Amino acid sequence: MANDIKLISGTSHPDLAQEIADCLGLSLTQSEMVRFGNENILFQCNENVRESDVFVIQTSCPPVSDGILELLIMIDALKHASARRITAVMPYFPYARSDKKDRPRISITARLIADLLETAGADRVLTMNLHSPQVQGFFRIPVDQLDATPLVCDHLLDAMPLENTVLVAGDVGEAKDLEHYAHRLNLPMAIIDKRRHDDSEQAVAVGLIGDVDGRDTLIVDDEIASGGTLIAAADYLQSQGAKRIEAAAMHPVMSGNAKAKLDGSPIGRVVVTNSIPIPAERRSSKVEVVSIAGLLANAIGAIHSGSSVSALFR
Ligand code: R5P
């Protein structure tokens, strides 16, 4: 039927795709992804999508490069199957940290991904909590960026007493996002001065703007990759007299030995979203996961009906 919604999942996060479909009361469109012996990928959509409003759900998680290529192949296939509009639903945007030319002769890879998505035939992008909002400007097509801060804050309010808490940005770059938490939770802020000296993912906390002595603390960051930033911040806060140390982050990349680092750290709990699946072997018992499926489903519904997506944040 023309103009109906089709939800199609890539292989990166089928559980989230199913949850979104459940929230919308829809079934996922039947499709298949074949990997040949030569590592080439074949995607086939097994239902008619002619004139449909198609949402392709593919987050970024290992194997990252395969996930990107899968998404491009899916979009290309759907374009040639005469979909009316194709929205790439990318809860965690790949290469979001490669958003600037901060040293000579490197690629601004987030912009390259934007170009590739447009070339493949994406008409829109729906994403969430970008590492830096300017990534939206890399596109000529519309990009809706969702903010899961309210969901995470609601979880924090239910899960723990926050009266004596100071919110702590894991680094200066996170200070802007911290404002959203501070506004919503009505709590004071502090900022860690974090330095990285090379690409070894070794983060060093060298200072703190604010006072945490005798206070509970909640470290906020946009993502946990190697866990270096979080653990450096937690150790530093402990050295400055912080009592309880908790953390919240949007995207649980959990690469390398992040789980072991978290398990051995003074952090009590870490609240994250399910923008990225966490395999059992990388999942610390300290991690609490808040689902973004409802938020994404509402945004998909709003895009389909042409109503305001920003109204979802109010
Ligand atoms: C950096 O600018 C980000 O906001 C995060 O602090 C960073 O991506 C976390 O990475 P890791 O866990 O490897 O320290």
Side-chain angles (χ1 to χ4, degrees):
M1 197 209 316
N3 200 29
D4 56 352
I5 298 191
K6 297 280 187 197
L7 297 180
I8 304 183
S9 178
T11 63
S12 65
H13 203 345
D15 290 350
L16 177 62
Q18 186 58 59
E19 240 191 284
I20 294 170
D22 292 345
C23 290
L24 287 165
L26 298 171
S27 302
L28 290 170
T29 297
Q30 294 300 309
S31 64
E32 59 190 307
M33 194 79 70
V34 180
R35 274 195 167 66
F36 295 108
N38 62 0
E39 295 193 10
N40 288 8
I41 299 169
L42 172 79
F43 166 79
Q44 184 170 17
C45 184
N46 292 334
E47 295 179 33
N48 177 27
V49 293
R50 209 169 270 270
E51 292 304 318
S52 295
D53 192 10
V54 181
F55 293 82
V56 184
I57 302 164
Q58 180 83 316
T59 198
S60 180
C61 62
V64 172
S65 304
D66 283 9
I68 295 167
L69 197 58
E70 237 186 46
L71 177 59
L72 297 172
I73 290 171
M74 291 167 82
I75 292 169
D76 185 57
L78 294 161
K79 197 78 188 171
H80 289 279
S82 303
R84 183 176 57 80
R85 182 171 65 175
I86 301 167
T87 302
V89 181
M90 307 168 76
Y92 179 58
F93 194 86
Y95 284 88
R97 284 163 72 182
S98 300
D99 59 351
K100 57 198 157 305
K101 193 166 177 187
D102 54 1
R103 44 182 123 162
R105 300 174 296 281
I106 62 167
S107 157
I108 303 175
T109 313
R111 199 226 62 248
L112 176 62
I113 301 285
D115 290 349
L116 291 169
L117 286 164
E118 287 187 35
T119 300
D123 296 295
R124 309 182 62 96
V125 171
L126 174 61
T127 187
M128 193 192 94
N129 292 93
L130 287 164
H131 176 64
S132 45
Q134 60 265 30
V135 167
Q136 286 179 86
F138 295 164
F139 288 88
R140 283 171 296 264
I141 55 175
V143 178
D144 290 303
Q145 184 194 191
L146 301 177
D147 179 12
T149 309
L151 295 176
V152 172
C153 287
D154 287 351
H155 180 90
L156 290 166
L157 286 166
D158 281 348
M160 61 182 94
L162 289 170
E163 317 72 72
N164 187 37
T165 302
V166 179
L167 298 170
V168 183
D171 55 35
V172 176
E174 188 57 27
K176 192 97 190 94
D177 288 343
L178 194 67
E179 268 178 41
H180 301 153
Y181 285 81
H183 178 68
R184 200 148 181 114
L185 300 172
N186 196 22
L187 293 173
M189 293 169 35
I191 302 169
I192 295 270
D193 179 4
K194 175 188 91 173
R195 310 275 169 93
R196 282 193 210 272
H197 299 298
D198 50 33
D199 283 336
S200 65
E201 297 193 322
Q202 186 71 41
V204 186
V206 296
L208 176 76
I209 304 165
D211 182 16
V212 297
D213 194 12
R215 308 287 299 268
D216 293 333
T217 52
L218 177 74
I219 307 165
V220 173
D221 211 343
D222 60 331
E223 64 177 51
I224 306 171
S226 67
T229 302
L230 209 54
I231 279 45
D235 290 343
Y236 198 80
L237 292 176
Q238 200 172 39
S239 75
Q240 299 299 301
K243 278 165 64 190
R244 206 180 60 191
I245 303 171
E246 321 269 13
M250 290 300 160
H251 305 296
V253 180
M254 299 299 287
S255 54
N257 59 351
K259 175 189 179 300
K261 284 189 199 160
L262 209 55
D263 287 342
S265 78
I267 298 171
R269 81 175 87 196
V270 183
V271 179
V272 299
T273 75
N274 58 347
S275 65
I276 301 171
I278 314 176
E281 66 280 7
R282 289 182 184 266
R283 187 169 185 148
S284 164
S285 57
K286 295 183 178 184
V287 167
E288 294 174 10
V289 181
V290 175
S291 178
I292 54 165
L295 179 65
L296 287 165
N298 288 341
I300 288 170
I303 291 168
H304 180 67
S305 64
S307 50
S308 169
V309 171
S310 62
L312 299 174
F313 305 134
R314 291 197 282 271

